[in-house]
Every structure is written in structure tokens, then in C-alpha cells.
Amino acid sequence: MRICQRSLKRQRVLGSIVMLMSISGALFCFAGNTQVKATAPHVEPLRSFADKMHFWFGTTIQGLFMGNPKYVQLLATHFNSGVSMVLLGQTQPSPGSYDLHIIDHEVEFARQHDLKLFGVNLIYRPAIGPAWFAASCKTWSKEKMDSFLKDRIYTLLRRGGDTFYGWEVVNEPGVPGHNGCWSKVLGDYDYIAKAFRYAHEANPNTQLLLNDSFGHDGIEKPRSKEFFDIIRKLKADKIQIDVAGTEMHLRPENLRPTYIDEFKSFLAEARSVGVQVQVTEMDVMLPPGGGPDMLQKQKEIFYNILHTCLKDSNCTGFTLWGTGDGLRRHNENDSPDAEFGQQKPGIFDENLEPKPAFEGILQALKEGR
């Protein structure tokens, strides 16, 4: 997951904007290298095909844009699930208190538009905020951290209720240092195990997901192995875990020719350990100056990943990381003036019009299971 400090500050504005909008808004922010048919994009409701397959097809919630009627209509028309961003900075901005208006407004929006929500995320790196937690958590005792962890998870899951079909319990545990004092205080494995235990206790009926990033060029085998080793240990310890989540922030110019086979191996490994798979963060970042050929390549990549997912019945969800090219958050690793819009990573352009990639997604959904 890629998030920057500016994005977190913007997310804090969500409530004020949404509250001014009378609740019509609180968003909702395979088989091989098959060649995609060259057809002109046309707008058909993507979710209509996903709904028939009982397949989660989602995108991120970006509350800053809920004042744009075209954006709201796009969300309701094309997606049956939305990512609810409930990081620590948004939900616990100051010590000893919660700010849950984001969840409340998004739940209302989801109910009005027949959507379900997916919570991202319960546990992630302290460095992205809030500052009070990042500054003090290293000094906490195990007891204090355990109590804080449990209270956070119980509070969020119970507030979200059955409108949330699932939760990303822990994000990117395999990235060194990412989850900082969670692992430093509670232990590299114990903080994960505790988080999943508490999440299951808080809502036994929701799906619980462990998510990670495996590189921009495919799915790196060593990182994938470490990830599934964690899942195996959770399973051995009788801890509920339902889904293995994989990010797919792919770059066409460096993509390995084996990227589809690598994804198939990931799907097979998940099946062998008894968990589903969901593609949790999908985009295809184009190099500067990429022309029509790159747009076609982007279309092919989106198609191949979704098609491969759909042809495995154990792959149950696919989420776009952002909607229109001009509505993306900045990448924390980019220079301050670098805009995601320049990378044109999504299936809609900056005017929320469908790109060739939209047609690739539509084709995969039409072909179905």
C-alpha cells in the first residue's frame, strides 16, 4: 500500500466534505498471456457481470471527490465493493479517542447504493501516523500495546458491522521495518496472531485478510514464500484467516514475461494452505511519455490478471487502487511534484472516461469463470 502524509491529511477532510453533501456521499474511495481483442471502449456496468459471479469488484474510497456527481455515479455503476480507508491516522487522530465519522458515512453510502465495504487496514506501519502514536509506541509495555490493539480492532469491526464483507487485518508484514513498534513490542509473529484472533472475536462472520506487496515486476518467489509461511503458522495455531491478499502495482517496462505464471503459482499456494485470494491493489503505472502502445499494454495486463483470477474459483476479489488517473494520491516515493496522473495507472482517465484498460477489464468480466 502506498500512502503519503499529504494523503492522510486529505483523508481527514473527508468528514467535512461529506457532511456538506447530505449523505449522497461518503464514498466508496488468466489463463496465460492471452491477447486482448482490439475493440473500442464502451461503457457497460462492470459490476453487473461481477454481481452475477458473486465476485468482489472494487475500488478505493476517495472522499475528497465525492462532490463530483460523475465520480459518485461511476462508483455506484461499476463497483460492488469499496475500500474504506480506516488507518490509525484517520480513526485515532489523538490519544484515547476515536473518530469514526468516516466509517459511519461510508456505511450509509454503501447501503444506499447496494455496496459492501472492505476495511483497510487495522494494523500498518506507525510511521505514516498519527504522530502521537509513532512517537510513543516504542516505549509501551506489551500489556499496553496488546490492550490498544484489541480495543482498536473491536471498536472498528463492531462499528462497521455487516456492511463490511471483510477486513485487511495486517498489511505488508514482510516489508522490513514497516510495522515498527507493533512487531518490536509484541513480537514479529505475535502481533499478527493477536490481531487475527481479536478480529475474529469482534466479528466471527467477516472475512479476514493478510495483505502484502511482492514487487512491481510480478510476484517475487522469496517474498511469497515468507508470506505463506506466516499463513501456515496461523493455520497451525488454529487462528482464523480467510484470504491471502496480493498487491499488483505493476510497471509494464520491467514486467517479467513470467508474471502470469507467478500469479498462478501464488493462487495454487493459497489453495494448498486453505485460503482464498484477492487482488487488493491493482494498477498499471505507465512510463513517462507512454503512447498508444503503452495504453494497449496496460489493457493487456489488466485483462491478464483479472482473467487469471476469474479462472480460479478460489480467487474471490479484485480491487482497483484508485479510479480516474487524475484522482490518484501521490506515491510516497515520488518527488513532491510528481503526480500519479502522469503515470496514468487506472482504467479511467482524468475526466473519468474509460480508457482501453476499461475494455480489458470488461472483456475479462464478460468471459467470467
Side-chain angles (χ1 to χ4, degrees):
M1 169 179 289
R2 298 168 313 189
I3 299 172
C4 69
Q5 295 297 334
R6 187 184 306 177
S7 299
L8 291 178
K9 289 177 184 175
R10 286 178 176 176
Q11 280 289 338
R12 299 285 305 131
V13 184
L14 170 67
S16 351
I17 293 177
V18 173
M19 282 197 251
L20 294 173
M21 293 188 326
S22 67
I23 265 189
S24 97
L27 153 52
F28 202 104
C29 108
F30 262 63
N33 290 310
T34 310
Q35 293 300 310
V36 182
K37 300 169 188 172
T39 55
H42 54 283
V43 178
E44 294 186 56
L46 298 176
R47 71 168 292 175
S48 65
F49 302 98
D51 287 342
K52 290 174 186 175
M53 295 183 279
H54 304 287
F55 181 79
W56 296 118
F57 183 72
T59 190
T60 50
I61 291 175
Q62 295 173 276
L64 283 175
F65 308 111
M66 287 302 292
N68 182 340
K70 186 173 182 178
Y71 180 68
V72 173
Q73 183 182 25
L74 182 147
L75 292 169
T77 300
H78 291 295
F79 302 97
N80 60 18
S81 75
V83 173
S84 179
M85 303 291 286
V86 291
L87 281 75
L88 252 170
Q90 286 103 311
T91 54
Q92 294 173 266
S94 58
S97 64
Y98 286 91
D99 184 347
L100 302 177
H101 72 271
I102 293 175
I103 291 179
D104 294 341
H105 286 302
E106 290 172 355
V107 163
E108 181 61 27
F109 181 85
R111 287 174 177 165
Q112 288 179 3
H113 296 282
D114 191 25
L115 307 172
K116 288 291 187 179
L117 301 176
F118 182 76
V120 172
N121 43 51
L122 297 175
I123 304 300
Y124 192 36
R125 49 181 169 161
I128 63 171
W132 71 264
F133 181 75
S136 65
C137 64
K138 295 178 193 172
T139 66
W140 289 9
S141 67
K142 282 191 175 182
E143 292 73 21
K144 182 175 181 178
M145 182 67 84
D146 185 28
S147 175
F148 180 83
L149 175 75
K150 182 176 182 178
D151 188 71
R152 169 172 171 75
I153 291 173
Y154 268 58
T155 300
L156 267 61
L157 265 70
R158 290 182 172 176
R159 188 62 161 252
D162 61 6
T163 304
F164 282 72
Y165 80 83
W167 289 85
E168 185 177 282
V169 180
V170 176
N171 187 41
E172 297 180 357
V175 180
H178 256 27
N179 289 333
C181 53
W182 295 111
S183 57
K184 194 164 289 188
V185 174
L186 293 175
D188 289 340
Y189 170 73
D190 286 349
Y191 87 94
I192 301 172
K194 285 176 179 291
F196 274 89
R197 279 199 183 101
Y198 295 148
H200 181 62
E201 291 169 7
N203 187 345
N205 300 316
T206 195
Q207 286 195 324
L208 304 180
L209 180 146
L210 183 68
N211 189 62
D212 218 326
S213 168
F214 303 99
H216 297 308
D217 311 323
I219 295 182
E220 297 175 5
K221 187 67 175 176
R223 291 170 74 169
S224 175
K225 181 183 182 305
E226 292 175 4
F227 177 77
F228 281 111
D229 284 346
I230 296 172
I231 292 179
R232 284 190 181 87
K233 186 162 176 50
L234 291 170
K235 288 281 192 178
D237 291 339
K238 309 297 184 189
I239 295 171
Q240 183 71 30
I241 175 170
D242 305 296
V243 185
T246 175
E247 300 173 20
M248 289 278 191
H249 301 295
L250 302 180
R251 300 180 187 271
E253 68 272 32
N254 300 320
L255 202 58
R256 288 185 291 272
T258 56
Y259 76 99
I260 295 294
D261 291 332
E262 292 167 15
F263 184 34
K264 287 180 177 179
S265 294
F266 187 92
L267 291 165
E269 189 75 0
R271 188 180 290 276
S272 75
V273 299
V275 293
Q276 298 173 14
V277 169
Q278 291 184 16
V279 177
T280 53
E281 303 179 20
M282 179 76 198
D283 58 17
V284 179
M285 298 168 284
L286 302 184
D293 289 348
M294 272 297 171
L295 289 174
Q296 289 302 312
K297 182 65 176 175
Q298 183 183 57
K299 171 183 175 179
E300 178 185 311
I301 295 168
F302 269 112
Y303 169 83
N304 282 337
I305 295 297
L306 180 54
H307 178 74
T308 303
C309 172
L310 287 169
K311 293 306 178 184
D312 187 317
S313 61
N314 197 45
C315 191
T316 58
F318 182 95
T319 297
L320 301 176
W321 199 241
T323 313
D325 285 342
L327 307 186
R328 279 294 305 270
R329 61 187 84 241
H330 287 67
N331 184 339
E332 62 186 331
N333 296 319
D334 284 344
S335 60
D337 60 345
E339 295 285 349
F340 261 131
Q342 296 174 350
Q343 297 177 323
K344 304 185 184 301
I347 69 170
F348 296 94
D349 67 16
E350 61 274 9
N351 297 313
L352 298 178
E353 294 297 326
K355 296 163 55 181
F358 177 95
E359 188 71 11
I361 291 290
L362 178 61
Q363 182 181 334
L365 288 169
K366 282 184 170 181
E367 291 173 359
R369 293 291 197 184

